[in-house]
Amino acid sequence: MSSYPQETFYQTSFSPSSFWAKRRSIVRKNTLHTQLEILKSTGRYEAFRLKWHPAYDDGYKALFWDSDVAKWLEGACYFLAEEKDEKEDKVIDEAVKELTEMIAGAQWKDGYLNIHFTIVKPGLRFTNIRDLHELYNAGHLIEAALIHQQHYKNDLLIDPMLKYVELIHSIFGPGPDQIHGYPGHPEIELALLRLYARTGNMNSYELAKYFITERGNPHGLQGQHFYLGEAKQRNEKWGERPAGDAWPTANAFWYQQAHKPILEQESIEGHSVRAMYLLTAVADLVRIARTVKPNSGHFEAYKTACEKLWDNMVNKKMYLTGGIGSIAQWEGFGIDYFLPQGKEEGGCYAETCASIGIMMMAERMLQLDLDGKYADIMELALYNTVLGGMSQNGKEFLYENHLASCAERPSKREHWFDCACCPPNITRTFGMLGGYLWSSNVKGKDVAINVHLYNSATLSLDVDGTPVTLQQETDWPWKSSVSFTLDTTPSLNVTIRLRIPSWVQASENGSFFDLNPLPTTTIKPVKSYITLLPEYTSTHRGSPITLTFDATSFAPRFLRQHPSTNQNTLTIARGPLIYCAEDVDNDWVQDYFKSVAISANSKPKESILHDKILGDDILTVTIPGIKFGEGKYRAVMKGGFPGFQVEEVTNIQQENLSVVFIPYFYRGNRDGRGHMRVGFKSL
Amino acid sequence: MSSYPQETFYQTSFSPSSFWAKRRSIVRKNTLHTQLEILKSTGRYEAFRLKWHPAYDDGYKALFWDSDVAKWLEGACYFLAEEKDEKEDKVIDEAVKELTEMIAGAQWKDGYLNIHFTIVKPGLRFTNIRDLHELYNAGHLIEAALIHQQHYKNDLLIDPMLKYVELIHSIFGPGPDQIHGYPGHPEIELALLRLYARTGNMNSYELAKYFITERGNPHGLQGQHFYLGEAKQRNEKWGERPAGDAWPTANAFWYQQAHKPILEQESIEGHSVRAMYLLTAVADLVRIARTVKPNSGHFEAYKTACEKLWDNMVNKKMYLTGGIGSIAQWEGFGIDYFLPQGKEEGGCYAETCASIGIMMMAERMLQLDLDGKYADIMELALYNTVLGGMSQNGKEFLYENHLASCAERPSKREHWFDCACCPPNITRTFGMLGGYLWSSNVKGKDVAINVHLYNSATLSLDVDGTPVTLQQETDWPWKSSVSFTLDTTPSLNVTIRLRIPSWVQASENGSFFDLNPLPTTTIKPVKSYITLLPEYTSTHRGSPITLTFDATSFAPRFLRQHPSTNQNTLTIARGPLIYCAEDVDNDWVQDYFKSVAISANSKPKESILHDKILGDDILTVTIPGIKFGEGKYRAVMKGGFPGFQVEEVTNIQQENLSVVFIPYFYRGNRDGRGHMRVGFKSL
């Protein structure tokens, strides 16, 4: 059983009033429709009809329109597969069908399928694998085709994609007449592995394996790095850089995670979305390779590589919001501990898609190693940078997720972006969200369910005709306790593993959780999961088992950053949520909260803010702050060099200022002036 | 009277045992000779003989050898003009003469003079003004020729340079057949203005004016930016970047301060040495233009531009060591307040030449506006990043002046650099140092002397045959008081202005200085200079006038950085000196002092470290520090997201650790392991 969220999502039904059900409903009701309209109005929808569009005039703008359409189509299918609102769904369903027809109709006889290289630059196919997103587009089309087949139970989209894969497989590979290359923007690798898992198509598997193992080979093309040789074949000068300014220096192959073979990479580098898509595939290759017959080679060293790069990322290159990528120029990773909060401080990108990529990689790592350290970060990204990438009404988005806004980068949402990766990426992620909540394994009569995320929902499995349902009831992320009810027959042995988040606080008696009814044996978390064995679950079939974390875990707490970040700041968190302040609740703010300091000793006060759009009660946190005037920051001549020495804190403009914090995901939902900050100077 | 340090330096004689005399002696005794040997062994010395050298094989390495030789020659002349040690001097004197002959002999019939474009790439002269340092070399040769003429009282070097200037003047300018360009690396502008001041040659003046006013013109060459048009003429692709990786993005003309006209530049950007050389010339143009007849246009707006860019630099883009340039890639300025201490923290370059450039610009600004804010920074750069650029023995150098070393960039000195700008730049700066100490103005019988820097030395002026000497006696930078003795005839009215440094502390009675004998009128600083009027100076002719600052000014004090730098650090300063710690005095250090914190409330203890090389007593400062172990920095799972929340300070490895600090300039003079830090975490 492949257990991809993209395939298992339908086993989950969300309780209608739950936190995520509300958000998924708005995506179905609003996002799918407004994005369809934008796909149409921008020319993307009709693009597969292969007519000229004015946007093509610049020669580059439509380079990855294929992927924009594919991600929407993928997202649409998840919702169609699951939701029942015939009137709403009809429009979406018809669009998916029309798109499928157009996509299939755009395929060349030999299998090739790509808008840009068919209509804008015919004749140049596969001449710039490094920069031009050709295989990236193919990957997203494959992903769309996989859910299309699953939902429609026909092969109208997957057949063209299998044909395209055959073409790609014939062109790329180690053979003397083949291209020894691999995509500059990984994506097809993870899609090919899923295609193999679905169809058993060995060419898909071999192609993914080739792309992953060949990547970064210093001698791939006639003794030199493939990207150097490919550039030479295009008659580029040595050191010539791609269009756009993503490469700060010549031959910056680390931008594409191709500076050395993956197994030799010691730190996570370059474009963060590319890194996450690549490592998602690498982790999946490790898992799949174990099962492929005949044995196709040992890939366990790639698991170590994934772990090393994951740890480097999480411990040294990730914002406490779950954002990654501190450098805007290459939309990616900086050096260790370089995590400025915003442009004015020297960086911060934290693309929404990159945090979606974190979820993808974390989910695959959990398949290799059930360790809460992956689920913790998956949850962190989901509740903060991924959820925050979309507005409450599902119609506006954020591409970058800064931790502090400034005049040049106010905190404001947009309806769409020229480079439109993020909005439909959120759509498809929310579409398959049920698949992220839990994963399951069945071996004969033994059923194991691993619960990663808490939300009121029901998982329904069919074990050789025997139904198993596990229902969870909770007010997560606002409140602590979660009740589980298992329903199945005594013939099955059901093991349930529940995640104990790393941020949970110990109660006064020192325990991190409370289980009711009390088990007869001591339950200790292993890698942050507790195991409810069949003896226990069978005793309590049909009646609730309640997991409760201490109430302090769902009270505001203060986070500091690693000292090496040079961020002497405090951030408020509560449960899985990171908080920020914005001007809507703090109308006095004029300087993006730069001059406001808070203390970790202050007593936070909670309030409720009722959001009308989703009928949500948003918990806000108020704490006192101090606002410093000029004096705090004024450089003084006396006693120091001008411009450097700073006066003691004497010029307090306002004490006991009330600073109201809201969840980070909720920012930019009410008309404001764009002032927002996560980390406040620490008193 | 032009009053350039390069011309007035000879009026100053340093008292032999003074701080700067010792250092200037070592330059004459060691530096001039070792650098001459290196010029010879690397091929630079013979380069003007125009024979092929293996270093030319790569096509680029000798691009600015002309300037390396010229700066050494310039420095040699300052010392020859002043020092009397015939045996030592003979070698230098002969080398200067031979070089002069070789340089003159390398000139083309039409006046052209450049090693690279004569021997390595003939035929390409003036085709890449932007990148290839052609006019930069010319500028340094002109500077060498100016002091050569002054010292040798012949025109053997200045004549060829005047001929070269005629050629450049005929080629560059607004005419239809002229090149509408300006040098990518400014330098010739300031040299041309000095050449005009010396010779009255209007073509020199007009050429400097053209280079300055044309710079950054968006429509200079056929309606487009000159650098774009020039690149097109070289058949470069649009957006193609120069060799090397200095440009992070395409068409990054801000690297050369040419992104817009100088008058429109709001912040200081790009390569920091280029910026300083350019603005030195701009400030000088403002001053010179006031005197040129017929009136050549108004340039007062350029004064405002210089002030704006200076203030932006000093207040927001300068390290408290006097270093500028936080970004290694373009050897220059980052965004406001982005001042990481070292590579490991995300940047720091602070090139020695850039701090020499600060002194140059500051000195010119003082000519326009006698404001201590310029002299403060001139002094800061001189005592810390400039002096620190050379070892005590005058044989080893630092190119970059980081504030914290790390494994990748240990604090270690080198004998020379492939890109050899810094070592001979220090040589010439120390050669003319007397010209930086004070400046003077004579109008008829009125003589004004402005004292900018304190050191035991004597200024000797000749006012129409009447001698004026002003002697200062002090233990600066170690001790506070300075005694002045004026000697002249009663026929002259002598005004003396003395600088009150901004870092001077008030004494208990609130005054910042003490003057003895007491003047009858109250003396208040205007722009940080106090004025001793002729009534006062004439009364005390021949007897000492003593200026004393409160002793607390010469006790260790703690500096903080601007909060917007995110540097929660403390730095020790004392008088004009910035302090640092290195492993030689703190043998326990293993982590570049990263885990050591100090408190501003601790009581510093002073000691004497006797340096044998110069017979110097170096004042060291010892304060207690605390070293934290893993716990201080360990990211914890409990209560925070992994990798982010940090435990409270519980794991103190060592309390009351003695941390010994030495002056920053003194670092890297004793064999050490390369651990060094200026800013310590603040407790």
Side-chain angles (χ1 to χ4, degrees), chain B residues 93-257:
Chain B
D93 178 63
E94 280 170 4
V96 169
K97 282 174 178 157
E98 187 174 41
L99 276 173
T100 302
E101 216 179 287
M102 287 194 279
I103 294 169
Q107 187 164 38
W108 292 50
K109 287 226 169 83
D110 67 355
Y112 188 75
L113 184 44
N114 182 290
I115 298 167
H116 177 82
F117 289 101
T118 297
I119 182 85
V120 187
K121 298 271 166 116
L124 289 181
R125 65 156 87 158
F126 299 135
T127 56
N128 190 346
I129 308 306
R130 192 188 68 188
D131 305 333
L132 299 185
H133 294 73
E134 214 164 353
L135 296 170
Y136 166 84
N137 282 323
H140 277 303
L141 285 168
I142 294 168
E143 292 208 272
L146 283 164
I147 181 59
H148 181 276
Q149 186 197 43
Q150 182 171 334
H151 172 55
Y152 287 100
K153 311 216 168 13
N154 69 42
D155 300 334
L156 293 175
L157 195 52
I158 205 158
D159 271 353
M161 294 319 298
L162 280 164
K163 192 174 170 191
Y164 190 11
V165 167
E166 287 313 304
L167 176 72
I168 300 170
H169 178 262
S170 71
I171 287 173
F172 289 86
D177 299 326
Q178 288 182 297
I179 299 177
H180 301 180
Y182 36 85
H185 197 316
E187 155 64 25
I188 195 170
E189 298 87 341
L190 68 89
L192 288 168
L193 291 169
R194 283 179 49 213
L195 186 61
Y196 163 74
R198 168 79 59 83
T199 63
N201 179 310
M202 277 304 289
N203 286 349
S204 293
Y205 173 73
E206 290 296 340
L207 192 52
K209 197 177 79 172
Y210 179 73
F211 284 151
I212 289 169
T213 55
E214 183 63 15
R215 191 171 201 88
N217 179 352
H219 314 297
L221 176 50
Q222 294 163 344
Q224 65 193 323
H225 194 287
F226 171 74
Y227 289 158
L228 275 182
E230 196 202 31
K232 204 182 279 174
Q233 287 168 359
R234 288 192 301 271
N235 292 315
E236 287 178 11
K237 287 190 191 172
W238 192 93
E240 194 173 324
R241 301 178 217 185
D245 281 327
W247 284 14
T249 56
N251 303 323
F253 304 146
W254 50 262
Y255 171 70
Q256 277 102 342
Q257 296 82 41

Side-chain angles (χ1 to χ4, degrees), chain B residues 391-402:
Chain B
S391 63
Q392 290 279 100
N393 66 10
K395 294 178 180 178
E396 293 183 313
F397 302 90
L398 284 167
Y399 198 103
E400 304 174 26
N401 293 278
H402 294 196

Side-chain angles (χ1 to χ4, degrees), chain A residues 414-436:
Chain A
E414 314 247 356
H415 283 94
W416 191 251
F417 309 96
D418 261 3
C419 173
C421 50
C422 300
N425 214 356
I426 296 182
T427 306
R428 67 176 189 144
T429 303
F430 284 6
M432 69 179 91
L433 190 64
Y436 279 103

